[in-house]
Amino acid sequence: MTISVEDAFATGDFVELAFSFAPVGIVVTENRVIRDCNQTFADMFRYERAALKDSTFAILYPTQEEFTNIRNRGVQELREGNFYWDERVMMRRGGEMFWCRVRGHTFTPEDPLQRAVWSFADISGSRPYHPLTRREREVFSLLAEGLTSKEIAIKLEMSNRTVEVHRGKLLKKFGVSNTASLFQSLGAIGTRHIYSASDGTVR
């Protein structure tokens, strides 16, 4: 049972209170299994808190493939600096996709995913979910690397005109007028911290 606010302030023990009522989702994991989470996390994903305990994180990803592919994302950073963050698309109960900002801290740097704690913030209000085709994702990624349309056309073995068509579709989907604004709409964080799924959608 969650400690009451009155008891927490009377005893000076705020650990359980902070965990239960933090304004971000907090989840403790062991080998990618949810050992416990706070109510904010459960509400974010539209599950009962008890239903998430001892469940694999796979239920919160759009596909099993994406859950598998993201496994090693950030492992090196956690091993070396014990901290990692990125922004990725997750899935609420019922199938709705939404953007999250994820931060992690490991208790076992030698095996970062063995035991860790993570925070999840729902950023869908400032970053709507936009599914992209494989080609749109490829063009976006190469634009982010600083390649010109001509260089992208050579790399992807397509015409310069086709690259421009994909670029135009990206601008239209994100409601921006140029490539710089496109990157800004994705948070200006660089592709290193944006998860791209293997099925070709920017996550």
Side-chain angles (χ1 to χ4, degrees):
M1 180 177 291
T2 302
I3 189 173
S4 71
V5 175
E6 291 77 11
D7 288 345
F9 277 85
T11 63
D13 183 0
F14 300 108
V15 175
E16 185 178 345
L17 189 71
F19 178 79
S20 297
F21 296 100
V24 295
I26 298 175
V27 57
V28 178
T29 61
E30 185 173 21
N31 295 318
R32 307 185 82 193
V33 170
I34 298 169
R35 299 308 303 271
D36 200 1
C37 65
N38 66 357
Q39 191 60 48
T40 304
F41 182 87
D43 290 344
M44 186 184 305
F45 287 92
R46 299 177 183 161
Y47 282 89
E48 293 297 323
R49 182 177 170 189
L52 289 172
K53 289 184 179 181
D54 298 322
S55 296
T56 173
F57 240 93
I59 65 171
L60 305 180
Y61 282 88
T63 66
Q64 178 64 43
E65 182 183 23
E66 291 177 48
F67 172 68
T68 300
N69 288 341
I70 203 172
R71 184 188 187 284
N72 294 320
R73 185 79 182 226
V75 166
Q76 191 63 27
E77 288 91 337
L78 286 168
R79 185 175 290 121
E80 294 176 353
N82 209 4
F83 179 77
Y84 175 74
W85 75 275
D86 68 25
E87 296 185 354
R88 65 184 70 172
V89 165
M90 304 292 288
M91 185 177 71
R92 305 188 207 272
R93 184 179 183 184
E96 179 189 348
M97 312 289 193
F98 71 108
W99 278 97
C100 281
R101 179 173 292 119
V102 181
R103 291 181 168 87
H105 171 90
T106 180
F107 302 110
T108 53
E110 68 284 355
D111 185 4
L113 299 182
Q114 182 180 359
R115 291 178 176 172
V117 60
W118 305 84
S119 71
F120 283 73
D122 183 346
I123 59 172
S124 57
S126 59
R127 181 177 298 169
Y129 171 71
H130 295 280
L132 302 180
T133 67
R134 178 177 62 86
R135 281 304 196 189
E136 287 169 350
R137 189 268 300 171
E138 289 173 342
V139 170
F140 171 81
S141 296
L142 294 173
L143 285 169
E145 291 179 15
L147 274 65
T148 65
S149 293
K150 184 177 181 180
E151 290 169 332
I152 293 172
I154 294 171
K155 194 173 187 67
L156 297 180
E157 298 181 343
M158 61 174 64
S159 70
N160 187 63
R161 172 60 182 164
T162 301
V163 172
E164 286 299 316
V165 168
H166 287 306
R167 178 178 173 276
K169 289 180 178 179
L170 285 167
L171 298 180
K172 184 176 180 179
K173 283 187 176 183
F174 286 90
V176 295
S177 58
N178 54 56
T179 303
S181 296
L182 173 64
F183 296 142
Q184 185 176 14
S185 74
L186 284 173
I189 59 175
T191 54
R192 179 174 176 271
H193 287 288
I194 298 176
Y195 172 53
S196 297
S198 64
D199 66 353
T201 54
V202 170
R203 293 293 195 236

